[in-house]
Amino acid sequence: MMTKCYDCMEEGKETDAVAVCIVCGKALCMDHSKELILPVSVGKPPNVKHLHNGLPRNMCNYCLGNVVDEGFCV
């Protein structure tokens, strides 16, 4: 049995989940998840380098609106 999207279930729908929010852990479908690219830095100050490719992570709309800081690339 596939895990269902938490937000869809609150709306009375049954949609298979494809991601999990990295903050609250809710299972999410494609419509209710937002992919963030988290910046990655390596090295110790003063020799810190930012990598070109960040780490893709998923968040629900609630956490996205309440947790995200300007440091993330949405």
Side-chain angles (χ1 to χ4, degrees):
M1 178 179 205
M2 285 287 293
T3 301
K4 302 298 180 188
C5 174
Y6 182 87
D7 289 345
C8 281
M9 289 179 67
E10 285 188 331
E11 297 171 359
K13 300 184 289 184
E14 284 197 23
T15 308
D16 290 339
V18 296
V20 174
C21 177
I22 64 168
V23 178
C24 68
K26 286 193 297 190
L28 304 164
C29 68
M30 291 295 289
D31 292 335
H32 287 116
S33 67
K34 175 70 175 174
E35 185 178 82
L36 302 175
I37 304 298
L38 302 180
V40 178
S41 301
V42 294
K44 294 181 181 180
N47 299 318
V48 176
K49 294 183 181 182
H50 297 283
L51 300 180
H52 293 291
N53 295 331
L55 296 173
R57 296 292 182 254
N58 292 294
M59 290 180 78
C60 68
N61 290 322
Y62 176 81
C63 290
L64 181 66
N66 290 293
V67 175
V68 172
D69 192 29
E70 289 181 15
F72 293 106
C73 302
V74 180

